[in-house]
Amino acid sequence: MTTPLLAVENVGRRFGGFVALEGVTAAFEPNRVTAIIGPNGAGKSTFFNVLSGVMPPSTGSIRFKGRDITGTPQHRFAHLGIARSYQITNIFPELSVHENVRVAAQALRTRYDIWCNRAAMTELDDKADAALAAVGLAGRRDATAKFLAHGQQRALEIAVALVADPELLLLDEPTAGMGPEETKDMVGLLERLAKDRTILLVEHKMKMILGLSDRILVLHHGRLIADGSPQHIQTDPEVRRVYLGQNDGYA
Amino acid sequence: MTASTSSLPAAARAPRSPWRARLTAWRVPLSILALCLLPWLLPSQALAVNVLIYGLLAVGYNLLFGYTGLLSFGHAAFFGAGAYVTGIAIGQFGLPWFAAMLLGVAFGGALAFLVGLLSIRTRGIYFSMVTLALSQLVYYTALQASSWTGGENGLRGFTVSTINVFGWAIDILDPVKKYYVLMVFAAAALWFVSRVLNSPFGAVIEAVRENETRARACGYDVERTKLLSFTLSGVIGALAGTLFALHLAIVPLDILSIHTSGMVVMMTLLGGAGSFFGPFVGALAFLLMEDVVSLWTSHWQIVVGTVFILFVLFLPKGIWGTALAALAGRGGR
Ligand SMILES: Nc1ncnc2c1ncn2[C@@H]1O[C@H](COP(=O)(O)OP(=O)(O)O)[C@@H](O)[C@H]1O
Ligand SMILES: [Mg+2]
């Protein structure tokens, strides 16, 4: 057996007395797409926050490429090779689309250099342009990010994550708030990314998940209640029970 | 996170109009040219030299406030530290003027580093309050240490009348010569600030201003970035303080007071936070208002305060920022 890219062991997170995540154990192989589903408040975003260093887990440990990264500060994660998008669009609103991605690319190269001329670092421009092309935003390169349509802003956020060429990509509801047309574009983008990347994906749109993912984890009240192939999850009685009457799930 | 910073003036994006791009490329020489002409355009030499010194203080402040998005209420401390240390070094230790200036800048920078270290982890209004409290601490320390600082009477007795630059003696009691000597330092500082803004770090501080969470997720240590910006800002403020000391040859205690900290915030906002030359425009507007309004009422602060509030409400980009935006708008069409 190869070492998994990411392995979480008994991970939990509490907020005061409230347990948002408890006893989650799972390992993730490279080049797979894993969907994480569960009703609202199940702890999906909390799980991502723990995996991306936004907050440390209250219990348990996280290993990335065999190395224990539990408690690593958030700003180290991009350098480790873990990048993410947020459930609520999280970009640099006043910067241009190109600058959004360029500054993300710059982080891996230089951070405290107050002396040289950043415009001379043309390879950052190329990287940024390539990432924008990958998400279909090449045409909006010079627009101010806040003036993009919602779907384009979400794509921009993915470009910002992609430009670091992360080994692990965490996408928290990339189609949140999108209409059918925008969702279709995003699904197309995700399909392209899925070919050669390791992705953890939180989503509600079941049809999309079934088409995209190799594996599905189901969270409920902070606990992992199912973990398996899409076929397996569809027939799991526990999952059916949790989603019954909820109906935002299998829609 | 976004909510706390999005109300700040939108600044220094990629200039998307040719006019604006050209202006940005030439901002240092153009700014220096404007400062060269200043004494001949203004009604008095005294006003020009004050615009120069307070404008430079505001330039340093702008790096922190306009570009990094941090509202400090304690910049009087670094300005004052630069002035006091320069004065003390000359008057009590007999240091040559240039060494005294270096010491003042170094001390002010170190103080900024310390204040930054203690304040940077707090956010929003708490950050402002911590910087204010720490600068008040510096004020009371200076008040108490009167054998060094002269306490309430201010620091005196360190007049520099001539300075030697490589064997060339310049009489700086002559106001015009003095102005241009001080301007050389301001020009060097402007060049430095422009360089910082054009550097990779310049992109990082804007990213932090725009969205801390995203900057962190991109791999930037937000706290270290802020601390570096805070320190650089304090260094420029301290340099302005050393110029103040050379100019007046006294350091009044009031320089360290909350009024100075508030004044630099107002100057930066009036001129246009996040614009390169805005702080000088703001300093000029503020000092002109003070001069003119105080002629007919001793309550000039009420008038200046009202104008300030009107600016914040209706002209958030400030005088210079608004002018630039108008120029960019025309150039773009
Ligand atoms: N920073 C936080 N502080 C307190 N409670 C939180 C925090 N983040 C999440 N929670 C709570 O944890 C639970 C799980 O939230 P979340 O992980 O966002 O759920 P999901 O993404 O599955 O909808 C919710 O009840 C939420 O209110
Ligand atoms: Mg969520």
Side-chain angles (χ1 to χ4, degrees), chain A residues 79 90 103 115 118 144 157, chain B residues 16 195 197 211 214 219-220:
Chain A
H79 302 271
N90 208 329
V103 76
W115 202 243
R118 71 174 186 255
T144 303
E157 193 177 348
Chain B
R16 262 152 258 162
R195 187 124 199 177
L197 294 177
N211 186 342
R214 184 30 87 189
Y220 292 110

Side-chain angles (χ1 to χ4, degrees), chain A residues 74-76 78-79 82-86 90-96 99-100 102-108 110-119 121 142-144 146 157 160-161, chain B residues 2 6 8 10-16 191-192 195-204 206-225 228 232:
Chain A
Q74 189 192 353
H75 65 88
R76 294 299 315 156
H79 302 271
I82 301 177
R84 70 170 295 180
S85 74
Y86 287 80
N90 208 329
I91 54 173
F92 304 114
E94 298 284 349
L95 301 188
S96 80
E99 285 167 328
N100 262 268
R102 191 187 201 272
V103 76
Q106 187 199 298
L108 302 189
T110 174
R111 287 164 289 156
Y112 306 106
D113 181 343
I114 61 168
W115 202 243
C116 74
N117 179 9
R118 71 174 186 255
M121 300 176 165
D142 294 320
T144 303
K146 68 175 175 187
E157 193 177 348
V160 166
Chain B
T2 334
S6 62
L8 283 171
R13 321 171 196 142
R16 262 152 258 162
W191 172 75
F192 174 72
R195 187 124 199 177
V196 170
L197 294 177
N198 282 337
S199 74
F201 184 71
V204 182
E206 284 185 43
V208 166
R209 178 196 66 205
E210 287 300 309
N211 186 342
E212 276 186 28
T213 315
R214 184 30 87 189
R216 213 175 265 119
C218 284
Y220 292 110
D221 185 338
V222 169
E223 280 69 35
R224 265 177 88 169
T225 303
L228 179 52
L232 290 173

